[in-house]
Amino acid sequence: MSLSKGLIQNIIQQKVLLDGLSNDDLAEFCQLANITYRDGSPIVSDQDYDFIYLAELKRRLPHHSLLQTIEPEGQSFSEEKVLLPEVMLSTDKAYSWDEILKWIERIEKSCLEVGLNINDIQIKATPKLDGFAGYDDGLHLYTRGDGKKGSDITRVFNRGLQTFNDCKRGQGAGEIVVKKSYFEQYLSDSFEHPRNFQASLIKEKALDEKAQKSINDKAALFVPFSQLPSWVGSINELKSNFSQIVGNILTMVDFDVDGVVFELTHQVLKRHMGANRKFHRWQIAFKENKDKAQV
């Protein structure tokens, strides 16, 4: 690593601003921030990562590998990586209504290409959980890893972790999360951020008493995406009521939520739009910059 510890701290504390970073320094800091976030020890907030550092990387180096492929996973959960039952991609991000409109325009164009009536197309919206992404095949639980290979973390279920709504296992992709109200009341004095706590559930070391109790209390859970509450409606309804839909979705669950995921429900159209190396084109996550940080 070429970034010194002192420079890293100065970037974190915003003593060194973006215009004081070279392209290489910025890219390396983004990679470090991503790895520490995925390992459960974030060095900057999710807001700052998305809206300051990653946004600047996208502006300067739009073809950087961090923006084109699934971000790598470190060795915190296991040294050996195993093949996932199916590829797990990331989710494309939109940070404004204009970007959502561009996504809708791509949907409209795809409808014309396959002869579908845009008025028949339904959009599904669900909360974007801020947890640890995983895949449950009913026998094993895996981290997302690089999208193709991840860590086997079945030990979390062996420790007693339950599923959201007491649903059956084996429902595929989801996230390990902790109830927001529970974290604030019982865990916030011991863990700086819910992500630090979530990582402690997954790592190979023995659980501490508070972590085990959160599992026993069904406050820490694996939430299959298929079990999330949702809004479903037409594209015209989405256009007319976007702000209201987003506001409602953000308050649907007692978990940390950092956005809203919009996706198509029409299987033919989903197959036609397909995916690139990083995300599905038929799905997008809207994330609003609440901090409006200035650098």
Side-chain angles (χ1 to χ4, degrees):
M1 178 182 292
S2 60
L3 292 180
S4 67
K5 290 183 179 180
L7 179 55
I8 291 169
Q9 284 303 312
N10 284 336
I11 297 171
I12 293 170
Q13 296 168 12
Q14 296 190 7
K15 293 178 180 178
V16 173
L17 303 182
L18 293 178
D19 58 8
L21 295 176
S22 68
N23 287 353
D24 287 344
D25 287 346
L26 174 64
E28 189 170 336
F29 183 78
C30 285
Q31 289 171 319
L32 175 64
N34 171 67
I35 290 172
T36 55
Y37 174 80
R38 297 193 67 187
D39 285 350
S41 303
I43 57 175
V44 294
S45 70
D46 192 37
Q47 284 277 316
D48 284 357
Y49 178 70
D50 279 340
F51 291 99
I52 298 177
Y53 303 106
L54 205 61
E56 181 67 7
L57 183 67
K58 187 175 183 179
R59 187 186 71 81
R60 293 192 197 180
L61 303 170
H63 301 295
H64 190 276
S65 60
L66 193 62
L67 303 170
Q68 303 299 321
T69 57
I70 300 288
E71 301 91 338
E73 178 181 83
Q75 303 295 315
S76 294
F77 306 130
S78 72
E79 293 185 5
E80 182 183 0
K81 305 302 177 184
V82 296
L83 196 65
L84 300 178
E86 65 178 51
V87 174
M88 290 185 68
L89 298 182
S90 184
T91 307
D92 195 13
K93 309 295 191 302
Y95 301 105
S96 67
W97 170 239
D98 285 343
E99 290 177 284
I100 293 292
L101 275 179
K102 290 178 182 177
W103 178 67
I104 291 174
E105 288 170 2
R106 293 194 292 272
I107 293 173
E108 292 171 339
K109 180 182 178 183
S110 295
C111 281
L112 291 174
E113 291 170 350
V114 294
L116 293 172
N117 186 335
I118 190 66
N119 295 320
D120 295 332
I121 300 305
Q122 297 278 290
I123 302 292
K124 178 181 178 181
T126 54
K128 183 181 181 299
L129 301 179
D130 188 14
F132 267 91
Y135 190 97
D136 176 22
D137 66 2
L139 295 175
H140 298 275
L141 180 65
Y142 308 90
T143 63
R144 188 182 70 188
D146 65 1
K148 295 181 179 179
K149 288 186 175 182
S151 300
D152 188 330
I153 54 168
T154 310
R155 58 180 174 269
V156 186
F157 278 130
N158 296 337
R159 291 167 174 171
L161 188 75
Q162 300 296 305
T163 55
F164 185 50
N165 292 334
D166 293 318
C167 65
K168 291 182 180 179
R169 283 195 52 194
Q171 296 192 39
E175 297 204 8
I176 295 174
V177 291
V178 60
K179 290 181 179 178
K180 190 174 181 179
S181 57
Y182 188 95
F183 180 86
E184 291 171 352
Q185 184 172 358
Y186 298 108
L187 300 169
S188 58
D189 60 337
S190 302
F191 296 90
E192 182 179 358
H193 188 276
R195 195 158 187 88
N196 302 103
F197 170 73
Q198 292 157 2
S200 74
L201 297 176
I202 299 170
K203 292 180 179 179
E204 292 182 284
K205 64 181 181 180
L207 294 183
D208 66 22
E209 184 178 340
K210 286 188 175 182
Q212 187 62 61
K213 189 174 188 305
S214 74
I215 289 177
N216 297 342
D217 292 343
K218 293 187 176 182
L221 297 162
F222 179 74
V223 180
F225 294 143
S226 61
Q227 290 292 316
L228 285 170
S230 63
W231 170 90
V232 178
S234 69
I235 287 178
N236 283 335
E237 288 174 307
L238 178 63
K239 288 180 177 179
S240 300
N241 304 295
F242 180 75
S243 295
Q244 181 181 351
I245 292 166
V246 168
N248 290 340
I249 292 290
L250 290 175
T251 59
M252 277 185 166
V253 292
D254 183 21
F255 304 120
D256 274 326
V257 173
D258 63 352
V260 176
V261 176
F262 295 99
E263 61 184 66
L264 293 172
T265 62
H266 197 289
Q267 294 302 316
V268 172
L269 191 56
K270 287 169 68 172
R271 286 195 295 271
H272 178 73
M273 293 189 73
N276 59 25
R277 289 187 299 170
K278 186 166 185 177
F279 52 77
H280 298 289
R281 296 188 181 93
W282 45 263
Q283 182 184 62
I284 199 164
F286 176 72
K287 300 183 72 172
E288 187 176 10
N289 185 359
K290 298 177 182 178
D291 292 343
K292 305 293 183 184
Q294 299 295 320
V295 293

